[in-house]
Amino acid sequence: MTINIRKRLIGTYLLIILLTVASFEFALIWGIKNYYIGSVADNLKNQVELVSSFYNNFLDSGDIFSNSKEIIDIFSSRSFQLQITDKRARVIVDSLEATNDEVLDYEEIQMALAGQEGEYKGVDRISGERIISYTAPLKHDDIIVGCVRFTSSLEMTYKVINDLVKYILIFGIALIVVVFVVSFFIAQTIVSPVEEITKTADQMAKGNLTVRNKISNKDEIGLLAVCLNNMAEQLQNSEAMKNEFISSISHELRTPLTSIKGWAQTLKGTPMNETEQMQYGLDIIVDESDRLSDMVQDLLDFSRLQSARLKIHPEPTDINALILQTYEQMKQRALKQQVNMTIELPREAKKINADARRVKQILINIIDNALKFTPSGGEIFISGQEQEIDNKKYYVIKISDTGCGIPKEELSLIKNRFYKSKQNTTDKGTGLGLAICDELVKLHGGTMKITSEVNKGTIVYISLPL
Ligand SMILES: Nc1ncnc2c1ncn2[C@@H]1O[C@H](COP(=O)(O)OP(=O)(O)OP(=O)(O)O)[C@@H](O)[C@H]1O
Ligand SMILES: [Mg+2]
C-alpha cells in the first residue's frame, strides 16, 4: 500500500510539471520562431515597398537599365539579395551578381509583373537554403516596367532559433529532474510516518499494547497517530480493568462462601438444643446466600449490559407500595448498623408503568450503597413524590444519606462500570451497581442523578416517567 502512495504522489507531481513545462515550452518556442522570422519578413517587406514607391514616384526617366544601377547603389546591403528585372523577368542587376541576365520564371515575379506584391517562403531554387523573398512591381507613368525582389536567407535566423530551443529544452529537462527529486522527498515525508504508524498498529493488533506512535507532526497523520495511541491506552485500561474485575469478583465470591461453609460446619457439631446459636448461624447462612445470589445477579446483568441484552417488562405497578416494601426489607440491616433510616411517601397508591422487580433491584442497590458508606449513627432518608420537569410528569424517588460522600471530580465517573471511588476504602463491591442501575433507569425512560459532598453525604434522585 505504502509503495503505491509514494508512486502516486511522485507520478502526480511529474505529470503536473510535465504538462506545465511542455505547454509552456511549446508556446515559448512557437513565439520565438514567429518573432524572429516575422521581423526578417517585416524588414524585407518594408524595403521592397520603399524601393517600389521610390522608383514609382521619384525617378523621372523611364529607363529601367540606368535607374537600376542607381537603386542598387542606394539600397544594396550585405544582409539580403536585391534583384531588379525588366518586364520580361530578365535580371538587370543582382546585388550578389549571381543571376545577372537570367530570366526568373518564378510565380512571385509573375505576380509582381501583373501588378501585385509577391511573397515566397521556402527553399531557394538555386542554393537550396531556406529563404524568404518579397517582390513588387516597378512602374513609370503607371506602366509596369519591371520588378524589384528582396531575398534574405533564413539559415542564420534558424540557427539562432535552434540554439534558443536547445537552451529552453535543457532548462525544461533540468526543471523536471529537480521536481522529481523534490517530489521524492515530499512523498517520503508523507509515506514514512504512515509506514511507521502501520508498523505500530500491526504490533498493537498482535497484542502488544505498550507500543506507541511518536508524534512529530500536528497534521492529519499526526492526528491518526494520536488516535491509535489513545485506542491502545483504552484497550490497555479495559484490559487492566477486566483483570482487576476478575480478581475482585473471585475475592468477593469467596468471602460469603467461606462464611457459609464455616457456619455449616460449626452448626453440624452444635447440639440441636442450642437454638440461639443455631438461629444465629442459620441467619448468617441466609444473609450470605442472599449476598451471593445478588452478586451472581449483578454479574448476569453485567454480561447482559455488555451485549445490550438487558431488558425490562413494564406493567402497572404501585410505586409507593414497592418503595415501602423495599424499605421494610432493608430496615433490618439499617437497625443492625445503627443507621437511622426513615421514609416519607404519599399515602395513596400510585400506579406507574414499570418493571417492579427491576425497580426494586435499583432501590436495593442505591440503599445498599447508602448503608455501605454511612457509618453508624448516620441517617438515611427515603422519599417519593410526583414532580413536573420540563412539562413532563415524573415520579421522583430521593435517597439521601449522611455518609462519606463522593469527591466532585469523581461524580461523573461513578456510573462507569467497575468504577469505585478512591474514598471507598472498604473494598466491598464490584463497582457495577450504579452502572446497572443507570442502565435500568434509562430503559424505563427515566434518569438517575447523583449529588454529593465529601463528609456530608450523598443524594440520589431517580426520576421515572409517569
Ligand atoms: N451513597 C454513597 N456514598 C458514598 N460513595 C458512594 C455512594 N454510592 C456509590 N458510591 C461510590 O461509587 C462507587 C460505585 O458504586 P457502585 O454501586 O456502582 O459500586 P459498588 O457499590 O462499589 O459495588 P456493587 O454495587 O457492585 O456492590 C462506590 O464504590 C463508591 O465509591
Ligand atoms: Mg453498590
Side-chain angles (χ1 to χ4, degrees):
M1 175 206 76
T2 45
I3 295 163
N4 269 339
I5 288 185
R6 188 182 285 125
K7 272 190 189 166
R8 220 156 56 198
L9 280 172
I10 297 176
T12 313
Y13 286 130
L14 275 188
L15 188 72
I16 292 170
I17 196 68
L18 223 70
L19 285 177
T20 315
V21 166
S23 50
F24 178 71
E25 296 210 335
F26 181 80
L28 194 63
I29 290 168
W30 184 79
I32 284 173
K33 200 174 150 191
N34 268 2
Y35 171 75
Y36 276 92
I37 307 260
S39 66
V40 173
D42 283 350
N43 188 23
L44 278 191
K45 214 170 160 198
N46 286 341
Q47 292 284 344
V48 142
E49 277 163 10
L50 187 66
V51 170
S52 145
S53 82
F54 176 79
Y55 191 100
N56 300 351
N57 297 324
F58 297 109
L59 293 182
D60 303 329
S61 130
D63 180 13
I64 188 151
F65 292 97
S66 57
N67 287 344
S68 300
K69 301 271 176 323
E70 201 173 327
I71 285 173
I72 282 278
D73 286 344
I74 302 172
F75 290 100
S76 78
S77 144
R78 276 165 180 235
S79 56
F80 45 76
Q81 179 186 25
L82 169 56
Q83 295 159 300
I84 292 173
T85 73
D86 63 13
K87 61 185 172 201
R88 284 184 199 81
R90 179 184 299 277
V91 177
I92 301 166
V93 279
D94 179 338
S95 65
L96 296 184
E97 308 212 332
T99 55
N100 283 341
D101 282 337
E102 266 179 48
V103 174
L104 301 180
D105 189 18
Y106 304 156
E107 199 181 318
E108 69 267 25
I109 302 262
Q110 293 309 324
M111 271 176 77
L113 291 176
Q116 274 176 313
E117 281 187 13
E119 180 191 338
Y120 175 75
K121 230 187 252 175
V123 176
D124 185 52
R125 286 90 162 175
I126 299 163
S127 67
E129 285 181 8
R130 279 168 290 186
I131 56 153
I132 183 165
S133 86
Y134 280 95
T135 314
L138 297 174
K139 291 181 192 164
H140 183 72
D141 288 345
D142 275 344
I143 294 166
I144 294 170
V145 293
C147 71
V148 57
R149 179 174 188 251
F150 277 83
T151 308
S152 178
S153 165
L154 290 178
E155 291 301 328
M156 268 313 286
T157 316
Y158 271 116
K159 194 176 167 313
V160 171
I161 294 174
N162 283 348
D163 280 350
L164 279 175
V165 166
K166 224 181 329 182
Y167 292 134
I168 291 170
L169 287 181
I170 288 172
F171 176 74
I173 290 169
L175 200 67
I176 289 168
V177 170
V178 168
V179 167
F180 177 77
V181 173
V182 169
S183 69
F184 182 82
F185 281 109
I186 293 177
Q188 200 58 22
T189 62
I190 296 173
V191 171
S192 59
V194 174
E195 276 175 342
E196 237 163 76
I197 291 175
T198 312
K199 239 185 261 166
T200 20
D202 195 43
Q203 293 247 315
M204 287 171 186
K206 283 178 181 146
N208 180 4
L209 292 176
T210 51
V211 287
R212 292 288 180 275
N213 291 299
K214 268 179 273 152
I215 315 292
S216 43
N217 273 325
K218 276 188 180 158
D219 55 11
E220 287 85 347
I221 294 176
L223 226 66
L224 177 68
V226 172
C227 281
L228 266 174
N229 284 355
N230 289 345
M231 188 192 79
E233 187 130 357
Q234 282 200 356
L235 280 174
Q236 241 184 334
N237 282 346
S238 72
E239 186 82 11
M241 226 154 70
K242 211 157 73 185
N243 291 341
E244 200 180 302
F245 170 66
I246 290 173
S247 73
S248 90
I249 202 80
S250 332
H251 175 79
E252 289 297 312
L253 288 172
R254 219 175 39 211
T255 319
L257 274 177
T258 314
S259 148
I260 290 170
K261 191 178 168 197
W263 273 104
Q265 268 170 343
T266 310
L267 292 182
K268 232 166 86 180
T270 305
M272 278 303 232
N273 53 6
E274 285 205 24
T275 32
E276 206 171 304
Q277 162 115 347
M278 197 68 93
Q279 196 58 45
Y280 183 72
L282 286 175
D283 275 349
I284 290 180
I285 289 178
V286 170
D287 278 354
E288 293 295 284
S289 312
D290 281 347
R291 214 176 121 197
L292 211 54
S293 91
D294 281 352
M295 262 186 234
V296 173
Q297 181 63 43
D298 266 9
L299 273 178
L300 260 173
D301 283 345
F302 169 68
S303 84
R304 288 197 188 119
L305 190 74
Q306 287 290 71
S307 52
R309 277 185 297 124
L310 198 58
K311 296 236 161 56
I312 57 165
H313 306 281
E315 45 192 39
T317 308
D318 179 358
I319 184 70
N320 287 335
L322 190 67
I323 297 172
L324 193 64
Q325 189 193 352
T326 316
Y327 165 79
E328 299 291 354
Q329 191 179 325
M330 304 296 281
K331 183 84 189 165
Q332 278 314 97
R333 202 175 129 195
L335 274 175
K336 228 194 268 175
Q337 278 184 231
Q338 293 172 329
V339 170
N340 182 25
M341 187 156 79
T342 49
I343 188 164
E344 193 181 305
L345 286 173
R347 254 172 222 288
E348 68 281 8
K350 179 76 208 169
K351 293 264 181 205
I352 69 164
N353 204 29
D355 186 327
R357 203 172 62 87
R358 291 306 195 175
V359 173
K360 193 168 170 187
Q361 184 185 351
I362 296 168
L363 293 174
I364 288 176
N365 254 307
I366 308 284
I367 298 170
D368 172 67
N369 281 349
L371 284 168
K372 262 201 305 201
F373 301 107
T374 305
S376 57
E379 306 234 354
I380 295 176
F381 177 65
I382 303 167
S383 69
Q385 67 183 117
E386 272 183 56
Q387 252 179 41
E388 221 181 75
I389 306 169
D390 291 337
N391 286 333
K392 270 174 95 181
K393 283 196 169 169
Y394 287 89
Y395 190 92
V396 180
I397 306 163
K398 176 179 161 189
I399 298 162
S400 61
D401 63 54
T402 57
C404 64
I406 304 160
K408 233 189 218 132
E409 63 274 12
E410 288 188 84
L411 268 182
S412 59
L413 299 171
I414 50 162
K415 284 189 202 167
N416 289 353
R417 294 159 200 189
F418 306 127
Y419 192 88
K420 292 202 266 182
S421 165
K422 297 185 181 70
Q423 196 89 348
N424 170 6
T425 45
T426 59
D427 201 36
K428 269 189 188 165
T430 57
L432 279 176
L434 288 179
I436 294 168
C437 286
D438 190 52
E439 194 62 28
L440 287 174
V441 173
K442 275 186 194 153
L443 283 175
H444 277 91
T447 56
M448 182 171 82
K449 206 180 95 189
I450 302 169
T451 63
S452 186
E453 208 170 314
V454 174
N455 292 332
K456 284 222 166 131
T458 306
I459 309 173
V460 181
Y461 300 91
I462 298 159
S463 311
L464 299 171
L466 284 170

